Amino acid sequence: MKIYTKFGDGGQTYLASGIKVSKTDRRVDLYGSCDELNSTIGLALSFAKDLKLEPTFLNYLKGIQSFLFEIGSELAGYVPKESKEGTVVLRSDVESLEKEIDRLMEVLPEIKFFILPGGSSLASSLHIARTICRRLERDLLVYIESGGEIHTDLRIYLNRLSDYLFVAARFANFSTGNEETIWKSRTKST
């Protein structure tokens, strides 16, 4: 398989459905942002290599990365034939994120203040992944509001995924002994 086809040189591409579109098509933006999110989680995992972290946590992140590849395909117009729902996302995928969030939260200290993104390289990259996920979710809503069709469970999954990534960043800092940075207002005295 050739990596380059030269077809895209003219600013066109094909969706997974076979439809020819401009590279500025909203669908291309959506699956491009999903790829960016996936790549950022890959970056986060690269920072975890030499850390002594819970294998369940790392495997869960790897699972999300693999699942995002399927979601990206769906955003590119692929409709899974084997799914009665018309999406690769199942309610159980959302429930799994919720269970994992709850599991990680059990060991984390209670949040009493706003937390600034940062800490370890792993946590910082998970915070970046969270913001990319939020952008993807916003772009998805713009697409839907302009008449595009995206399954509701996919939208819900991305919303919950951004929540998970926030908790995962906190868990990464906690697990590596990195303190979180508390936001301090410049206008309020401490």
Side-chain angles (χ1 to χ4, degrees):
M1 176 176 151
K2 275 191 158 189
I3 295 297
Y4 61 91
T5 63
K6 300 183 183 181
F7 175 74
D9 294 352
Q12 303 286 306
T13 191
Y14 284 101
L15 295 178
S17 59
I19 297 171
K20 183 178 173 181
V21 297
S22 168
K23 287 188 175 185
T24 60
D25 188 273
R26 285 205 188 275
R27 280 276 189 176
V28 177
D29 279 341
L30 293 175
Y31 71 76
S33 291
C34 189
D35 186 36
E36 185 181 353
L37 171 59
N38 200 337
S39 297
T40 305
I41 293 173
L43 175 66
L45 286 166
S46 75
F47 291 127
K49 274 186 191 162
D50 298 325
L51 302 174
K52 302 255 189 268
L53 292 168
E54 177 188 283
T56 302
F57 172 68
L58 296 175
N59 288 333
Y60 198 85
L61 277 172
K62 289 174 188 173
I64 288 171
Q65 201 179 18
S66 182
F67 191 45
L68 282 172
F69 199 81
E70 293 177 52
I71 289 173
S73 293
E74 185 172 326
L75 292 172
Y78 170 75
V79 179
K81 292 177 179 77
E82 60 280 351
S83 169
K84 290 184 255 177
E85 302 297 321
T87 180
V88 296
V89 179
L90 306 173
R91 291 270 177 196
S92 58
D93 296 316
V94 175
E95 291 167 2
S96 173
L97 281 172
E98 291 170 350
K99 285 179 186 172
E100 185 65 2
I101 289 168
D102 293 343
R103 186 184 78 80
L104 297 179
M105 288 294 292
E106 285 178 8
V107 299
L108 294 174
E110 181 183 353
I111 300 175
K112 296 182 181 178
F113 305 98
F114 286 110
I115 296 169
L116 295 176
S120 68
S121 297
L122 170 60
S124 297
S125 55
L126 288 170
H127 276 296
I128 293 169
R130 172 186 56 81
T131 63
I132 294 168
C133 190
R134 287 285 188 213
R135 176 173 24 98
L136 174 56
E137 183 186 6
R138 289 189 307 272
D139 291 346
L140 198 69
L141 291 171
V142 168
Y143 179 74
I144 292 167
E145 289 170 2
S146 68
E149 292 185 27
I150 298 288
H151 197 281
T152 301
D153 289 342
L154 175 52
R155 182 180 48 78
I156 293 169
Y157 181 84
L158 290 175
N159 185 351
R160 209 66 81 250
L161 178 58
S162 60
D163 296 333
Y164 166 78
L165 291 167
F166 174 76
V167 173
R170 291 194 66 221
F171 184 79
N173 275 334
F174 179 80
S175 298
T176 57
N178 284 277
E179 294 215 11
E180 294 176 306
T181 305
I182 304 300
W183 171 71
K184 293 179 182 162
S185 171
R186 294 184 326 162
T187 58
K188 295 180 183 177
S189 60
T190 55

